[in-house]
Amino acid sequence: MQARGRYVSGPSALLGTAALAAAISFSSGAIAQSVSAQAAAAAAAPAQASAPAQAPAASSGTLPAVNVNAEKPQQKPAQRQVKRQGPNREPIKIPVNASGCKSVRAPGKPYFVEFRSRTAVSYGHTFVVHGRLGEGNRYASYQIAGLHPKGDDPNVYMQGMMVPVESETGPSWGDEDEQYLTARFCVTLTEAEYRKALAYIKTLQATKKTWHATTYNCNAFAADIARHIGLDSPNPNMYLPQAFITRMADLNKGGKPNNPFAANFSGFQQAPATQPQRRAPVQRTAQPRQTQQPTQQ
């Protein structure tokens, strides 16, 4: 085979023509695919722009998204601690309050001593609540003092009807629950007056070691406190607790004894009666008695 000029004849020429045709066909297909892809992308762009943006998926290292519009979980109200009393630890239904001191509040007298009586299995109990008044019907602070047989054994109480038994001078079962309250009488004091009363109450609590129903009982314990702060007290052995407190209130209207000459009233102290000084008697010296001499005749 011989080549002439720029043309090639024979099988080689046929092969070249086929390759060129294939190349042209491939290029046309690629161009068509590229144009189709660009058109699809252009058509999808407006739809993506109008769609709201979505938050990227949280990865394992980030916190989960919080829905601020969701309802907050309801918190359980704090439970009030219920005081209990007695050997069976029964709950206190009506805690102590200062409603009995409302009518006797006075400026400069933020402290109080309240004489109380309550029911009991027997004939009742007398005790004293003292401390500082708070707002409304509340006590800012309070303490309880009262004489009673030690413990909750009724046998000890029965023994105390005949002979003195060991006693306690703090709160007893029922003192802090006003559902058992039968009578009350409140007196307000200045700070100086209360300090003296508190010191005396602490002394009684430290020294009174026995309880005896017919000699020194809960009424007698409260009567000593009443006399110390200047009140008139009824005979503790003539009244049951409720009548004893009621009688004490009657004897001390407005927080002062009705009888200003009561021996135990500290607000009206009489000076001891002074007798006029008598002049010392004049010492007279005995004069010798002159005897009349008989005249001589």
Side-chain angles (χ1 to χ4, degrees):
M1 181 177 58
Q2 184 180 0
R4 293 183 181 179
R6 294 185 297 175
Y7 300 100
V8 179
S9 60
S12 298
L14 294 175
L15 291 173
T17 301
L20 178 60
I24 291 172
S25 176
F26 177 78
S27 298
S28 299
I31 292 172
Q33 291 179 356
S34 176
V35 172
S36 299
Q38 290 179 1
Q48 292 179 357
S50 61
Q54 295 182 357
S59 61
S60 60
T62 59
L63 295 175
V66 177
N67 186 0
V68 295
N69 297 323
E71 295 183 359
K72 296 182 179 180
Q74 296 182 355
Q75 296 181 353
K76 295 182 179 180
Q79 294 183 353
R80 187 180 63 178
Q81 186 176 4
V82 179
K83 288 187 176 181
R84 297 183 177 274
Q85 61 183 343
N88 297 328
R89 306 302 298 162
E90 66 177 37
I92 295 177
K93 293 184 178 180
I94 307 177
V96 293
N97 60 72
S99 59
C101 299
K102 185 177 181 179
S103 61
V104 295
R105 286 177 180 262
K109 293 186 175 183
Y111 296 90
F112 74 96
V113 175
E114 187 174 35
F115 301 87
R116 292 184 168 203
S117 64
R118 63 167 176 82
T119 59
V121 177
S122 59
Y123 46 75
H125 177 56
T126 298
F127 59 102
V128 174
V129 181
H130 60 94
R132 184 182 178 92
L133 294 171
E135 297 181 357
N137 289 334
R138 296 182 178 181
Y139 294 132
S141 61
Y142 71 90
Q143 301 178 50
I144 295 178
L147 186 73
H148 54 91
K150 185 175 181 179
D152 298 312
D153 188 354
N155 294 323
V156 178
Y157 169 79
M158 295 303 297
Q159 293 173 7
M161 301 294 291
M162 298 174 288
V163 296
V165 295
E166 190 176 0
S167 67
E168 294 177 335
T169 55
S172 60
W173 181 13
D175 291 354
E176 295 186 273
D177 196 337
E178 298 208 355
Q179 66 173 320
Y180 304 118
L181 189 65
T182 57
R184 65 199 308 171
F185 169 58
C186 183
V187 177
T188 54
L189 305 173
T190 64
E191 181 177 357
E193 292 171 339
Y194 179 69
R195 287 183 180 275
K196 293 179 181 179
L198 180 60
Y200 182 75
I201 293 172
K202 295 298 183 183
T203 300
L204 281 182
Q205 289 181 303
T207 56
K208 299 302 180 181
K209 300 297 184 180
T210 58
W211 177 90
H212 190 206
T214 58
T215 57
Y216 196 84
N217 49 37
C218 57
N219 282 355
F221 185 88
D224 283 346
I225 298 174
R227 295 189 189 99
H228 182 79
I229 63 176
L231 299 177
D232 194 2
S233 173
N235 188 328
N237 293 324
M238 290 183 61
Y239 300 89
L240 296 180
Q242 181 178 357
F244 175 75
I245 299 299
T246 302
R247 180 58 179 160
M248 182 186 292
D250 291 339
L251 293 175
N252 300 274
K253 298 291 186 181
K256 293 182 179 180
N258 300 338
N259 180 11
F261 297 100
N264 51 20
F265 180 38
S266 61
F268 185 87
Q269 294 181 351
Q270 285 185 307
T274 57
Q275 296 180 355
Q277 295 182 353
R278 298 177 61 182
R279 297 178 62 182
V282 178
Q283 298 288 338
R284 296 182 179 182
T285 57
Q287 296 292 334
R289 187 175 182 179
Q290 294 181 358
T291 57
Q292 186 176 5
Q293 299 292 332
T295 58
Q296 295 181 358
Q297 294 182 348

